[in-house]
Amino acid sequence: MSAVELGLEAQLILAVVAAIVATWAPPPLRSTLAGVVSAAVGLTGAVTGVLVLAGSRGRIEVPTSLPLGDVGLDPSPLGGFFMVVAGAVGAVAAVYAIGYAEGPAASRAAWASLPVFLAAMQLVPAAADAVSFLLLWELMALASTSLVLTDHRDRAEVRQAALWYAALTQLSFVLLLLGFAVLVVDAGGVGFDLIGSIDPGSTSASVAFVLLVAGFATKAGIVPVHVWLPRAHPAAPSHVSAVMSAAMVKMGVYGALLVCLRLLPAGPAWWGLLLLAFGAVSAVYGILQASVTSDLKRLLAYSTTENVGLMFLALGTALLLRSVGVGGPADSAVAACLLLVASHAAFKCTLFLAAGSVLHGSGERDLDRMGGLGARMPVTALAFGVGALGAAALPVTAGFMAEWALLQSLIHGARPEDRLVAVAMPVAVAVVALTAGLALLTFVKAYGIAFLARPRSEGAAAAHEDGAWTMRPAMLVSAAAVLALGLVPGLAAEAVTRAGGVAGVGRVGGAGLELSGVGAQLDPIALSVMAALLAVPVLFVSRAAARRRPRRQVELAWGCGGVRVSPRMQYTATSYAEPLARVFDDALRPERDIEVTHTSESRYLVERVAFRQRLDDVVEERSYRPVVRLADRVGLAARRLQNGSIHRYLAYSFVALVAVLVLVAL
Amino acid sequence: MALSLVRLLRLIWTTGRVAEPAPPAPEPTPGCPRALAGSVQIRHVDAGSCNGCEIELGAAFGPVYDAERYGARLVASPRHADVVLVTGVVTRNMLEPLRRTVEATPQPRLVVAVGDCARNCGVFSGAYGVAGAAPDAVDVDLEVPGCPPEPQAIIEVLRKVTGR
Amino acid sequence: MNAEAAVLALAQVVAMVALSPLLVGMMRQVRARLEGRAGAGALQPWRDLRKLLAKETLQAAGTSWVSVAGPTVLIVSSLLVCAMTPLLGTVTFTSVPDDLFVVVSVLLIGTVAVALVGLDAGTAFGGMGSSRHMTIAALVEPTVLVSVYALSIPVGSSVLSQIVAARLDDPASVASPVSLLALLALAVAVVAETGRLPVDNPNTHLELTMVHEAMVLESSGRDLAWLELGSWLRLGALLGLLSTLLMPWGIATELSAGGLLLAAGALAAKIAITGALLAGVEVFLAKLRLFRIPELLAGSFVLAFLAVTASYLVVQA
């Protein structure tokens, strides 16, 4: 039995053990024991993925009692890459949850679902045929729905969120089922290797492509099927949100990569354009919604939509450039997609875990009520700061390297001869630039309002770093990953090359990244060394000046000398994003309500003014609600069929019988 | 636009230089901090004036007298300032803000009282809304007498601080 | 190769630190003379800086390490931009090329540092300035990236040094419609990024009209010195880049003492001309209302996009 097979079996066994431990362990020990075993599940997955990337292969068949056959697991290098990502995130989140979970999150159901969820999620990339893939996919969906429902007794929004999530995840399952059905019929078998041999130019291949990509896009959170993300991620407990956002949506991206690179490679140009278009729209829409919301977890959820949009944009670019025969930049685009996957997993995990710590320590989730948390929760502030740097794609973090790679492939992919590419590339550059700028604003807002200046509410003023010993190391490990992937990206170059099956991604000068397909290279450590050297004279002068006149603490900040100075005078997250909300008024359609109450004596004097702003998801308002209302109306109309008369019901059965007999006779 | 581009250019060309030649530099004052030589940023506080001193101050920083050529510049925040220039008598509502403004200014700092009202309440002495003169609220280092003082007088005091 | 690049980077940093305050002083002098005043002289910014370093630095209760570290981060990022952009020569490090995205990201670190300093002040003005500043930065980024992208298409590389070197080799490309459109768009972007009229008035005292100044209202002493010098260096580096792209002659393609001196003189002349032009134009402009600025930036984006389409036509022809 090879190491990979051992790893796969170990994951299954550990998941079952964890579920048993969660059910049987006494409540005081439940979190610790179940958490440790769940973390072991995650770690095993990551190690297995590393082994697959290093070159070893293995295949196991898990017998099921279903008539569809056994579940075959045979991870490819691409699958191995995603196993590493999912396993690492799962392990970190499980360790965090040991200290974080309390109340409903520490119940038997929650702790039993978590390892099942982690195992299913890690094994999806290992599936070797369509049936196994769909079975594991559905298991992942069911386990995650159960986890989203954890707090359903405490908060009403959780039930709504779980409903939306379940509906859309089943939609994705149905689309995938149909898509795979078309492919299986074409190929004559369910194995992925078999499917990879059909002609991508045929109509059935295109139909299957559209169905499969739609299904994967739903799981990934692409506009317009993203509406479950901003509801489900805030509703779930923080460690579950971290796993869902950092790892589960990546399975949608894995699926898209699977379809484009392995199942239906060398497709026509419009496939790439489709992915690019939807990716671009999602990226801009996602970050726009993130920049104007004041709920921290909703902000992070929309940021996930933005990043997944960028991943789809990268993949679409790769397909488009491959179809016009430009190999080098296309390979770089695939590499960029994989780097975006890894970097997003790292920083989103950090951000969600830090948000959970903030919620735990201060009881606040609304940015408008936070403030001054940096002084009260220094470790959380450090982790969130590093995660925010990564999300804003600033040097030297993983996000920066990934966006750099994406822009290199877009810039070098310019092909004036081909009109489609000639229009698509500059538009893509503009979209990436706009999302980068908006992401900067979003994360400056998130970090600055929450952690800097003075507390805006009592909860924030009383905040304290949580005593649970596992939360801090988990956050710090995640933050370290963001920096590590940013400082030494060359170490991941080998993994990216094997996973994407691309050439031209290598190591340069220590641990820098080289994209020889486009002739670009960057060594972040050298950049940091340059910055450090330039900082030396500045610090020298500062020290000399400080010795003559040291820094003096004063009590009041300069607020025009006003006598009444309160922390409520500071800018809030809503006010921070107000200019942007005004600029993008048409895209966001905020509902603003101003209510003026006059004094009873005179209409010229105002007693109080109330301002209310609601920013709902535009896509949900304009597309889903009409559909839901239509479904409601159809349902109500159909009730007239059920009027309770037994005569009518007998008539229905008679008519149905006659119809069946007629059809059979034909 | 009130003036078109061409007309504005012609106006600039025909007006030429408006600033009067600089009078001879005053004696350097021994008490003024050496750190402020050549560059003084000024935060103006109107503690309750009739605006006569503000008009003269505006003229001092205007094109004719041009106080900027001696290194003095008006700034918006006392944190950026070296000199707090007080005009007007200190009214009740401005007593605390004036104190806070001076406290918000980093050392080395100077307070200059411009006009008779700031020095000794001037014509408003004994009025019901008046809390006192500038020396009653903060420590004043330099004074410019006059009601209102001429721009040349204001500039002479500023030049004592900058040494230019 | 790397040793030469290091010498060049050091020379650029020293040159820009010397020239940027003079540039700002000269711009203030131009404005003063056009207004009929005598002005404080081109050396006044140096005097201001020296005085600020000798002043006390105050820190209010409720502010954090960001107010201490932010100004240093800004000036280090500005120095890094000066070291990387091709101002005196086109020799670059092999593993840290002055690629478009890298330079823009380093600039953005400075932008983010100032924005956080503004938020950390804990006052209404700081948050206001920070919010406006980040909104403008977000809307400027597409213009910056697309306009340099337009310039990079005829060259085949987005490394700024290579773009400048290619323009040096082919003087006709400097006057081409691609180049002019892209540089016009870039000029508007530079004005917005450095906070000059009509986007922001650096001399305003009305807090509600401030964008950049509002964020630094709380800083004093050496914090303010680094914030001021940092923004002057950004202005100098961006004007230097703009003028080098417009008039590449004088720049050194290989390292020699004479070549560097000539390049330094050429750079001084170029930023003097560009700065004087900018200051002169500012006399005729009033600050735009905040919500008209997105229209201006959208217009500059359209210009940049036109430049990209023009570059395709040029390559095809």
Side-chain angles (χ1 to χ4, degrees):
Chain A
M1 180 176 290
S2 80
V4 170
E5 290 165 6
L6 201 65
L8 292 169
E9 297 217 340
Q11 285 176 60
L12 290 166
I13 296 172
L14 281 170
V16 171
V17 167
I20 294 174
V21 164
T23 329
W24 283 86
L29 291 174
R30 188 188 299 148
S31 290
T32 319
L33 290 175
V36 166
V37 188
S38 305
V41 171
L43 238 102
T44 322
V47 168
T48 317
V50 169
L51 287 170
V52 173
L53 281 172
S56 46
R57 304 295 294 262
R59 188 191 172 96
I60 63 170
E61 305 269 345
V62 179
T64 61
S65 51
L66 298 167
L68 300 157
D70 299 340
V71 169
L73 298 173
D74 180 7
S76 65
L78 182 66
F81 187 86
F82 280 84
M83 282 177 81
V84 174
V85 167
V89 169
V92 169
V95 169
Y96 179 88
I98 296 177
Y100 177 80
E102 56 186 24
S107 66
R108 276 190 282 251
W111 272 117
S113 318
L114 185 67
V116 172
F117 176 41
L118 292 182
M121 187 179 62
Q122 282 157 211
L123 293 174
V124 161
D129 57 77
V131 171
S132 329
F133 189 93
L134 287 171
L135 280 174
L136 288 165
W137 188 267
E138 191 60 15
L139 187 62
M140 180 176 78
L142 289 172
S144 54
T145 313
S146 144
L147 282 168
V148 167
L149 272 171
T150 311
D151 279 331
H152 70 100
R153 259 187 270 263
D154 299 334
R155 296 185 282 153
E157 58 177 34
V158 172
R159 293 189 282 270
Q160 273 287 307
L163 206 61
W164 278 92
Y165 176 55
L168 278 152
T169 225
Q170 293 311 312
L171 175 69
S172 102
F173 179 73
V174 166
L175 288 167
L176 290 182
L177 189 62
L178 289 172
F180 274 126
V182 172
L183 283 180
V184 162
V185 161
D186 244 4
V190 290
F192 282 160
D193 295 323
L194 207 57
I195 296 177
S197 58
I198 62 179
D199 170 32
S202 59
T203 344
S204 62
S206 293
V207 168
F209 177 82
V210 170
L211 286 168
L212 285 172
V213 162
F216 287 125
T218 312
K219 178 58 83 181
I222 295 283
V223 170
V225 280
H226 69 287
V227 290
W228 62 272
L229 257 178
R231 286 170 177 271
H233 286 190
S238 309
H239 59 280
V240 174
S241 310
V243 178
M244 281 172 65
S245 202
M248 194 187 71
V249 301
K250 301 299 182 311
M251 294 310 141
V253 180
Y254 166 71
L257 279 164
L258 180 72
V259 169
C260 297
L261 296 181
R262 202 172 146 197
L263 295 184
L264 300 169
W270 67 266
W271 288 9
L273 203 62
L274 189 75
L275 285 174
L276 204 149
F278 276 99
V281 170
S282 305
V284 176
Y285 184 77
I287 199 61
L288 204 53
Q289 286 283 1
S291 56
V292 295
T293 183
S294 68
D295 181 336
L296 183 56
K297 288 203 175 179
R298 205 176 136 97
L299 187 152
L300 295 176
Y302 271 120
S303 160
T304 301
T305 303
E306 175 231 341
N307 280 284
V308 174
L310 286 178
M311 291 171 213
F312 270 60
L313 192 144
L315 187 56
T317 309
L319 285 187
L320 191 62
L321 292 178
R322 272 210 187 137
S323 68
V324 294
V326 184
D331 282 352
S332 302
V334 173
C337 182
L338 290 169
L339 283 171
L340 282 167
V341 166
S343 78
H344 177 246
F347 69 69
K348 198 40 69 73
C349 184
T350 318
L351 287 170
F352 262 110
L353 296 184
S357 174
V358 165
L359 184 60
H360 223 218
S362 70
E364 298 290 347
R365 217 176 79 189
D366 190 354
L367 279 172
D368 286 349
R369 297 177 60 83
M370 294 187 199
L373 295 178
R376 293 160 177 78
M377 307 176 75
V379 177
T380 309
L382 175 67
F384 195 94
V386 172
L389 265 181
L394 287 174
V396 284
T397 58
F400 168 63
M401 289 311 298
E403 282 218 20
W404 172 81
L406 176 60
L407 271 168
Q408 288 304 314
S409 49
L410 285 173
I411 286 175
H412 287 94
R415 284 290 168 272
E417 319 88 48
D418 191 294
R419 267 179 306 193
L420 197 60
V421 175
V423 172
M425 290 299 107
V427 171
V429 170
V431 163
V432 172
L434 186 60
T435 58
L438 290 174
L440 271 178
L441 189 151
T442 309
F443 286 97
V444 166
K445 177 183 90 165
Y447 182 75
I449 303 274
F451 293 95
L452 298 181
R454 292 169 290 156
R456 294 174 181 80
S457 70
E458 271 153 32
H464 57 283
E465 193 80 64
D466 203 277
W469 57 278
T470 62
M471 283 167 66
R472 271 174 277 185
M475 285 193 288
L476 290 174
V477 163
S478 223
V482 174
L483 286 174
L485 278 171
L487 277 173
V488 288
L491 298 177
E494 189 65 36
V496 167
T497 316
R498 292 246 179 95
V502 294
V505 179
R507 231 170 104 157
V508 71
L513 192 64
E514 181 185 19
L515 298 169
S516 40
V518 294
Q521 55 175 295
L522 185 59
D523 187 359
I525 295 189
L527 188 66
S528 321
V529 167
M530 269 175 81
L533 287 173
L534 286 169
V536 166
V538 172
L539 291 170
F540 188 70
V541 175
S542 283
R543 283 280 297 279
R547 235 172 282 138
R548 274 204 298 155
R549 284 213 185 261
R551 193 172 286 265
R552 177 159 68 96
Q553 302 285 334
V554 291
E555 231 187 86
L556 273 180
W558 170 249
C560 273
V563 186
R564 293 188 302 271
V565 184
S566 109
R568 290 287 294 138
M569 283 180 171
Q570 296 170 131
Y571 251 49
T572 59
T574 315
S575 35
Y576 201 88
E578 197 257 349
L580 198 72
R582 276 223 226 171
V583 170
F584 288 101
D585 200 81
D586 289 325
L588 293 168
R589 312 234 175 222
E591 269 173 43
R592 291 204 178 100
D593 204 14
I594 302 178
E595 206 182 284
V596 179
T597 321
H598 297 277
T599 59
S600 48
E601 296 93 25
S602 161
R603 279 224 75 226
Y604 293 106
L605 299 173
V606 171
E607 193 181 311
R608 61 194 286 267
V609 182
F611 171 85
R612 216 159 289 146
Q613 179 175 277
R614 253 182 85 93
L615 277 160
D616 287 325
D617 191 316
V618 176
V619 173
E620 192 186 303
E621 289 296 309
R622 298 295 158 110
S623 346
Y624 284 78
R625 297 225 177 265
V627 168
V628 169
R629 272 197 292 264
L630 182 68
D632 259 348
R633 271 207 299 260
V634 168
L636 277 173
R639 285 186 69 185
R640 277 193 237 124
L641 291 171
Q642 286 181 307
N643 67 346
S645 156
I646 206 95
H647 304 288
R648 196 183 278 201
Y649 293 171
L650 284 173
Y652 288 157
S653 340
F654 181 70
V655 168
L657 189 60
V658 168
V660 166
L661 286 172
V662 165
L663 276 171
V664 166
L666 284 171
Chain B
M1 200 182 299
L3 274 176
S4 76
L5 188 65
V6 175
R7 285 181 60 193
L8 189 55
L9 275 169
R10 194 136 22 105
L11 182 66
I12 293 176
W13 182 256
T14 50
T15 314
R17 178 174 156 144
V18 174
E20 289 181 354
E27 306 289 311
T29 326
C32 286
R34 272 192 320 123
L36 300 182
S39 160
V40 163
Q41 261 79 309
I42 301 168
R43 211 305 182 167
H44 164 243
V45 177
D46 174 354
S49 95
C50 69
N51 284 347
C53 294
E54 275 77 8
I55 293 177
E56 300 304 317
L57 198 61
F61 281 91
V64 175
Y65 297 100
D66 194 20
E68 257 195 59
R69 69 180 125 172
Y70 310 114
R73 192 161 51 96
L74 289 170
V75 286
S77 167
R79 295 259 196 259
H80 300 181
D82 315 301
V83 164
V84 178
L85 203 93
V86 185
T87 53
V89 71
V90 181
T91 53
R92 293 187 203 283
N93 284 342
M94 281 303 288
L95 180 61
E96 196 51 45
L98 176 62
R99 287 202 177 124
R100 288 188 179 195
T101 308
V102 174
E103 264 166 41
T105 316
Q107 296 283 1
R109 66 171 176 240
L110 296 168
V111 179
V112 176
V114 170
D116 287 336
C117 288
R119 290 170 64 230
N120 52 25
C121 293
V123 297
F124 297 112
S125 165
Y128 67 89
V130 168
D136 302 328
V138 293
D139 296 326
V140 173
D141 302 289
L142 290 165
E143 294 182 346
V144 185
C147 183
E150 290 195 348
Q152 297 98 309
I154 301 176
I155 289 186
E156 206 181 299
V157 169
L158 289 177
R159 287 180 82 180
K160 284 193 191 151
V161 183
T162 66
R164 276 177 79 185
Chain C
M1 181 65 159
N2 276 332
E4 285 185 355
V7 169
L8 183 68
L10 190 63
Q12 281 179 184
V13 166
V14 169
M16 286 317 295
V17 169
L19 287 174
S20 299
L22 286 176
L23 168 72
V24 171
M26 182 216 68
M27 284 171 74
R28 289 185 191 163
Q29 272 302 95
V30 166
R31 193 191 176 89
R33 285 300 158 92
L34 285 174
E35 289 175 358
R37 296 186 281 122
L43 290 173
Q44 187 63 24
W46 271 116
R47 293 189 203 109
D48 290 343
L49 217 55
R50 181 193 45 74
K51 189 237 9 218
L52 279 174
L53 285 171
K55 288 267 293 186
E56 195 181 31
T57 312
L58 299 177
Q59 183 149 6
T63 55
S64 68
W65 62 275
V66 170
S67 294
V68 178
T72 312
V73 170
L74 171 68
I75 191 171
V76 171
S77 79
S78 307
L79 289 172
L80 199 54
V81 169
C82 292
M84 290 175 77
T85 18
L87 296 168
L88 288 180
T90 54
V91 184
T92 54
F93 294 96
T94 34
S95 55
V96 191
D98 50 350
D99 178 69
L100 163 67
F101 186 62
V102 179
V103 172
V104 168
S105 296
V106 174
L107 262 176
L108 287 173
I109 285 196
T111 307
V112 165
V114 184
L116 286 175
V117 166
L119 271 176
D120 197 35
T123 59
F125 299 137
M128 183 192 78
S130 185
S131 151
R132 293 174 169 187
H133 175 81
M134 290 309 299
T135 310
I136 295 175
L139 296 174
V140 156
E141 215 180 319
T143 306
V144 170
L145 285 182
V146 174
S147 58
V148 183
Y149 173 59
L151 291 173
S152 78
I153 294 177
V155 179
S157 158
S158 65
V159 175
L160 292 172
S161 298
Q162 290 183 12
I163 297 179
V164 170
R167 290 164 80 80
L168 204 55
D169 288 334
D170 180 19
S173 68
V174 174
S176 66
V178 182
S179 163
L180 293 173
L181 282 171
L183 288 176
L184 189 57
L186 199 59
V188 175
V190 165
V191 162
E193 186 70 46
T194 52
R196 311 292 306 182
L197 284 165
V199 173
D200 180 22
N201 183 356
N203 298 319
T204 185
H205 291 195
L206 304 169
E207 283 87 353
L208 291 178
T209 63
M210 291 177 177
V211 176
H212 175 84
E213 294 306 309
M215 296 183 285
V216 304
L217 283 176
E218 183 58 28
S219 310
S220 51
R222 51 183 175 280
D223 290 341
L224 187 62
W226 296 141
L227 286 167
E228 292 282 282
L229 185 58
S231 39
W232 295 341
L233 284 169
R234 279 163 72 113
L235 178 64
L238 286 172
L239 281 182
L241 177 65
L242 197 60
S243 51
T244 307
L245 285 171
L246 192 56
M247 305 173 276
W249 307 287
I251 212 168
T253 38
E254 22 177 75
L255 226 53
S256 67
L260 271 183
L261 279 172
L262 178 67
L267 180 67
K270 284 181 218 169
I271 61 176
I273 297 173
T274 338
L277 220 79
L278 185 60
V281 166
E282 282 187 350
V283 171
F284 297 89
L285 291 173
K287 191 180 100 71
L288 273 179
R289 231 199 101 188
L290 180 68
F291 293 111
R292 300 288 304 275
I293 295 174
E295 295 173 18
L296 174 70
L297 296 175
S300 73
F301 177 73
V302 167
L303 283 175
F305 209 82
L306 281 175
V308 172
T309 39
S311 76
Y312 285 153
L313 294 173
V314 162
V315 173
Q316 274 187 327

